[in-house]
Amino acid sequence: MGSQILGAEIKSSENREYGKTKCTIKDHSSLFASLDKTINVWMSHGDQAMEMSDDFQSLAYTENCPYAAARHNEKNFYGVQFHPEVTHTPDGKQIMKNFLFKICECSGDWEMSSYIKRTIKDIQKQVGNERVICGLSGGVDSAVAAALIYNAIGNRLSCIFVDNGLLRMNESERVIETFKKNFKVDLHFVNASDRFLGKLSGVIDPEQKRKIIGHEFIDVFKDEANKLADIKYLAQGTLYPDIIESVSAHGGPTATIKSHHNVGALPAELGFELVEPLKELFKDEVRKMGSELGLPDDIIWRHPFPGPGLAIRIIGEITQDRLEILRYADEIMIHEIKSAGLYGEIAQAFAVFLPVSTVGVMGDERSYENVIALRAVETTDFMTADWVKLPYEVLASISSRIINEVRGVNRVVYDISSKPPSTIEWE
């Protein structure tokens, strides 16, 4: 930690700070120029600077943190305890602008179009005259990666879409139709449902699920790639948050939160070199890129869907019955949110199957059936997220439909936790 190197005393604080926190600004001369005296910031820490050397002064504080922001009296060193880069520090962009333009005196002439041109050149330089395969999921990340690479190398790109048996209702049909309509690339569809579900039979641990799915994904790709001649490169829609949550270098600032199926040792196992054109971007930047590349809104603004699919939305063992229950419940939730005109205001919404049964009364009979949890969050960068205050009438409609239409469910609950300390997905 920079402040510790420069003489600060770092200790575990008695009261941890996670989520939205009131921060009082003491100095508005530089970093906090043009901001109110009190702002909301997003905290995520258990340790903090308790004492700093006389070379530093506090610029802001919270109820539990005396050095929420500080600067060196002589050198241009600034530090903050909170996260200005995330959506849920509302004034974060202004703080970053103040740092970049007032303190660092940057010019601010960067544009997404420039990044696209640079990345296309990087892809062309890396790939040369070789061919590339890209795994499509139907989500925005893989779609934008495919579109960008297609702009770079044209028909030397082939795409593979794998149905792992863990997709949402009618997902395969939607993906195939979408990409045939919007892309000119060579698309290969593989139905590998039985392979994946067989490997996952009886597995409960979420990390084991992810690793099984990742390894099976490799095997399916190997089999399909062997049918394609002269493929040297594999393209992935890996984003910067995927890397942050998956990789912790020795002595690095972050812990491994969860494994992502598209981060890690895929190149060595598949025998391909890796192309990751989006790995420096956050989700909102990927969507901006997709828009500049001319992708349709129904792809760009579609809610994210995890690589392991419904496997990590079924807590516990994965069975066909549980998959069908969850698919139906999830479809009802999305339909009702769209009908209420709220889909575009929500970053991600989905249902989760819980491995508990609860007592209910259905008709004149006692029931002992499953529980579905609903999750809806608001965010732009997906590094932090807060739960959406869905209108009661929408929640009531979703709950009523699920209980009445989905056999095997007699209770619906709503997740009201933020990220952090929770993650967006349940596993």
Side-chain angles (χ1 to χ4, degrees), residues 269-280:
E269 294 193 50
L270 283 167
F272 298 119
E273 294 183 36
L274 197 61
V275 181
E276 294 179 300
L278 311 181
K279 66 181 179 180
E280 297 177 356

Side-chain angles (χ1 to χ4, degrees), residues 88-147:
H88 294 94
T89 297
D91 294 302
K93 286 186 178 180
Q94 185 59 50
I95 294 170
M96 299 292 280
K97 284 181 180 178
N98 288 339
F99 179 73
L100 291 170
F101 304 134
K102 290 181 179 294
I103 297 169
C104 299
E105 299 182 350
C106 294
S107 60
D109 56 358
W110 184 92
E111 294 180 352
M112 178 57 74
S113 58
S114 300
Y115 185 86
I116 291 173
K117 290 178 182 178
R118 190 196 82 189
T119 307
I120 286 175
K121 288 181 180 179
D122 289 344
I123 294 168
Q124 291 169 338
K125 182 178 179 181
Q126 179 186 2
V127 171
N129 294 320
E130 302 291 342
R131 294 183 63 196
V132 179
I133 57 171
C134 178
L136 291 178
S137 67
V140 61
D141 302 337
S142 61
V144 172

Side-chain angles (χ1 to χ4, degrees), residues 38 45 77 105 195 250 375:
T38 301
H45 71 96
F77 293 163
E105 299 182 350
R195 289 180 60 165
H250 296 293
R375 180 80 156 138

Side-chain angles (χ1 to χ4, degrees), residues 226-333:
N226 286 336
K227 302 174 186 177
L228 303 173
D230 302 322
I231 301 291
K232 183 176 180 180
Y233 291 93
L234 169 67
Q236 292 186 155
T238 309
L239 305 190
Y240 190 54
D242 297 336
I243 295 172
I244 292 173
E245 290 186 337
S246 298
V247 179
S248 179
H250 296 293
T254 61
T256 299
I257 307 302
K258 59 188 177 183
S259 299
H260 284 265
H261 76 290
N262 57 347
V263 178
L266 285 180
E269 294 193 50
L270 283 167
F272 298 119
E273 294 183 36
L274 197 61
V275 181
E276 294 179 300
L278 311 181
K279 66 181 179 180
E280 297 177 356
L281 303 180
F282 289 92
K283 182 73 72 174
D284 57 323
E285 295 170 318
V286 171
R287 287 189 166 127
K288 185 173 182 180
M289 176 183 283
S291 180
E292 295 215 15
L293 289 170
L295 294 177
D297 285 347
D298 60 343
I299 291 179
I300 294 171
W301 294 105
R302 192 177 190 197
H303 289 184
F305 188 61
L310 299 181
I312 57 170
R313 293 179 180 175
I314 294 176
I315 312 303
E317 185 179 2
I318 301 163
T319 67
Q320 283 288 8
D321 286 345
R322 289 181 170 187
L323 281 166
E324 290 308 310
I325 288 172
L326 182 56
R327 281 193 184 101
Y328 199 175
D330 186 79
E331 184 77 1
I332 288 172
M333 181 183 187

